[in-house]
Each structure stands twice: as structure tokens, then as C-alpha cells.
Amino acid sequence: MADTWTVAGKTFSSRLIVGTGKYKSFEQNAAAVEASGAEIVTVAVRRVNISDPGQPLLTDFIDPKTITYLPNTAGCFTAEEAVRTLRLAREAGGWELVKLEVLGEAKTLYPDMRETLRATETLVKEGFKPMVYCVDDPIAAKQLEEAGAVAIMPLGAPIGSGLGIQNRVTIRLIVEGAGVPVLVDAGVGTASDAAVAMELGCDGVLMNTAIAEAKEPVVMARAMKLAVESGRLAYLAGRMGQRRYADPSSPLAGLI
Amino acid sequence: MVHEGTISIRVNGGHRRVPAGISVADLALELGLEPTRVAVERNLEIVPRSTLADVRVEDGDDFEIVTFVGGG
């Protein structure tokens, strides 16, 4: 049976969601998306360039008909800004599946959970299906789910830091307690970090900088695809128990 | 200064004069934008894409016109 996951009624095979920021060119971005195997990309909503309207657009390179665009609210620091941004995103794209993030401060880009929860409630009332970036706190995750979040997306480490999964215990607790998909969003630096997230039982991983700022983004995109698949398989396989001391792999009987 | 037949609006934070009586769809085209690829907010209210050609631009209107760009 195919190993798929479903969010807000849409089913996906790839468990890797990639961002579309920080790339050198649209061409490189499109090649990285292709190599990653991602079926969902995050996008930002920004003012059109009125002084030079003829510039190429992201949609010219990554086709929203084949790749699901997940509009996000990066850069929003209040619930009102985030909701306003997503209302525009819904009009631009025509779909309800969105990524909510409401940031608390520029230094850490940690989410402001009070504003995030308020925005989630408003969005759900208006018919949106928000996937929500949040702190790695199992209680906050539960509250978001109760408010109608269609996916919980705790940070592994600060956005763009590449520090890897800092608290496996809390990510694991969120996974165990959640009735909706859980995806690590932010903090992944390299392939092993993505594998760790998946081994913890997450339904997926979202990343941008780890691919875009690699020396070879397209190669890293493929590494991430394989890491997410490996981590998922290891989770499904069920890892061995850990021991404090050695346990020989070869039989002790029949030694000469 | 007299501007016969024009009205004063704001688009993405900048001041602009446009002919009186144009629709929001006309405004997008005048700005060189494809109306089906943008979302328009007028005085903090979304203008549904299906009504862009029906909504008339009024003097003093404040528009935000956005699209999708690369982001994380």
C-alpha cells in the first residue's frame, strides 16, 4: 500500500514541503523543487512590482496546477496582518489551504502563540484550512488543533538557523498527542536533521534555507528527499531498542 | 492644480492619478498587470476577482495589489 498522508482532505505522497525563498534564480528554484520530489511549496504574498510589471513571476517556473502552492504569512507579527495576508492569498490562488505563522520578534523569529491562536480561530471561522507554525510545546499544539488547525508545524530550531531538531522529546510528545498531521517546520540544516524529524514519527518536514543556501541546492534537494524517505521508513520499521553496553552480532556458540 | 477627468488614488502605498470612471480591472491593465494573476484589496476589503471589471475606482481609493513570490 502506498504510504501517503492527508491534510484537509488532500492526499500527498511526498512528505517534504519546500520553500521558494532565497534561491539565486527561478530556474534553480524550479530544479530544486523537482529534485526534492515535493508536491507542496510555500510561497509568500507581496505587493506586485508596479515599476516593472513585466518581470518574470514564480508561477512561470513552478506551475500551481501541478505543485500545490501553500501561501504563508511570513513577516506578519500580528493576527490581523496574517489574516489580511491570507484573505488576499485566497483571492490570488483560489484555495483555502494556507500556512499561518505569526512571529513574535525579529531576532529569533519565534512564533507569538497568543496571536497565532487568535489568527487560527479567525481563519477557521472564515473557512480557511490553516497549517500552523508553532512552538514545540505539546499544550500549545493541542490548543491549535482544538481551534481547527489542519496541521501542527512545530519548529525544530529557529527559522533559517540550520541547527537541527533541538528538542526531540517535545516533538515526539506533539506527534503522540496530535490528531492532525505534524510537520517539523524550520530548523533543519542537513539531511540527517530531516531524517531525525521523520524517525520521531512526524508526517512531514518543511524546509527552505537548508536547500536554498546549500552550495549545491539541487543536490541537497535530492539528499532531503532521500532523508525524508529514509526517516519515514525507519519510523515504520520500528527501530531496535538501545542498550548501555555491547551485544555481539555473531553467535557465541561454536567459537574455536 | 486641475486634473480634468482624473481622480487621485493610492496603489501599494504610492500616489497615482487615473482616468475617472475606470474599473479595477482597467486599473490592473493600466499598471501592466494581468488581472487573473493578482489579488486586489480596496480600502481594506478584498475585491473578488470575478467582480474586478464591475467595481469602479473612486477618488481617494487605497489599493493593495499583491501576487505570490518566493518565500519560506
Side-chain angles (χ1 to χ4, degrees), chain A residues 207-221:
Chain A
M207 65 182 74
N208 189 151
T209 311
I211 296 175
E213 285 190 1
K215 289 192 178 63
E216 299 287 348
V218 179
V219 178
M220 185 58 92

Side-chain angles (χ1 to χ4, degrees), chain A residues 19-21 42-48 50 53 57-60 69 71-72 84 87-89 91-93 99 208, chain B residues 11-13 16 31-33 36-41 44 46-50 64-72:
Chain A
T20 54
T42 59
V43 294
V45 177
R46 292 290 182 269
R47 285 171 166 173
V48 294
I50 291 175
L57 297 171
L58 183 68
T59 45
D60 296 330
Y69 272 38
N72 75 14
R84 186 181 173 201
R87 284 179 187 140
L88 279 162
E91 197 51 38
K99 178 189 157 185
N208 189 151
Chain B
V11 179
N12 289 355
R16 220 172 171 93
L31 296 168
L33 304 169
T36 59
R37 302 178 87 169
V38 297
V40 181
E41 187 192 77
L44 299 176
I46 298 283
V47 184
R49 194 174 275 170
S50 57
E64 287 289 340
I65 307 181
V66 303
T67 192
F68 291 133
V69 302

Side-chain angles (χ1 to χ4, degrees), chain A residues 151-169:
Chain A
I152 305 297
M153 303 209 289
L155 50 76
I159 292 171
S161 69
L163 290 169
I165 314 297
Q166 292 300 296
N167 196 335
R168 300 179 191 201
V169 176

